[in-house]
Amino acid sequence: MPELPEVETIRRSLLANENAVLLKMEILHPAVLRRQDFEPASLYGKSIARIARRGKFLIFYFAQSSGHLIIHLGMSGRFYMVDKDQPLTGKHIHAVLHLDNGRRLVYQDARRFGGLWFITDVEEFFSCMGCEPLEDEFNPELLAKLVQGRKVAIKNLLLNQNLIAGIGNIYADEALFAAGILPHRPAGSLTSEEVQRLSQAIKKVLAESIRQRGTTFRDFRDGYNQSGGFQNHLQVYGRCHEPCRVCGHPIVRDRIGGRSSHYCEHCQH
Ligand SMILES: [Zn+2]
């Protein structure tokens, strides 16, 4: 599933389309339309003022319009640009945005867990979403408050989008490894030193993945429809039975709260 670094990578690769005018949209599969607070065609002729991200969501702001387009890529979605003289080749293309700069933005999703939301009130839409882990608002003091007294496994707390936005299975496992903390530890059992390490590890792992243009296992592609590079730098995720890159012990995988978790029993405590 695309997580914060993958969605941020897509956002950055699409920035060249800011100021382009949306000419029209083709919705090829109505199931991807998740919410329409207004008629999407009312955005035709408006220019894209800003492409932002919140958690795992992309947000398109339009000039002189109170309407916004929000996109979530679900489990397997892709959102990328194609020049107008190039054919659209992929299967499962559900939406195409035609821009006046000669490009099309293509939403493709084999499994359709994601979608498009046409909404007016961005603040309301994200009112339940937790803090952005790469912003200054996320720091050891805040993480200490989030974990305090919580019996839930720290891995599951990290996945809770209402507390921290944008972290999924890959980066929760990687951050816990980087911080030397076992994923099934009750969140409230972390010492203040561990909270400090975890807070720093989350920022470091996410920032490094963005530098490597995200993680591609099967589905993720950036805004140019290209694979990311962080899969070559993963320490634990997807490395079950492979030797830990630090100590050589085999990486363990088990299920925590219904999600597969990868960790090193030797390096994490
Ligand atoms: Zn190890």
Side-chain angles (χ1 to χ4, degrees), residues 177 236 243-251 263-268:
F177 176 82
V236 286
C244 172
R245 298 192 204 275
V246 173
C247 73
H249 283 68
I251 300 299
Y263 55 93
C264 174
E265 290 176 302
H266 193 252
C267 293
Q268 292 170 256

Side-chain angles (χ1 to χ4, degrees), residues 11-12 24 49 57 59-60 159 168 219 227-228 242 264:
R11 186 189 78 83
R12 293 182 184 189
K24 65 169 180 168
F57 290 84
I59 311 163
F60 281 70
L159 297 179
D219 297 306
S227 298
E242 291 179 41
C264 174

Side-chain angles (χ1 to χ4, degrees), residues 207-221:
E208 182 57 26
S209 179
I210 292 171
R211 268 194 292 280
Q212 303 284 342
R213 306 183 61 76
T215 299
T216 297
F217 278 105
R218 288 177 296 272
D219 297 306
F220 170 67
R221 300 291 185 274

Side-chain angles (χ1 to χ4, degrees), residues 1 32 34 73-77 92 94 107-114 218-219:
M1 177 197 258
V32 301
R34 296 308 177 111
L73 298 172
M75 297 294 288
S76 58
H92 310 293
H94 301 315
Y107 178 81
Q108 181 180 7
D109 187 1
R111 298 172 69 184
R112 293 203 307 272
F113 283 107
R218 288 177 296 272
D219 297 306

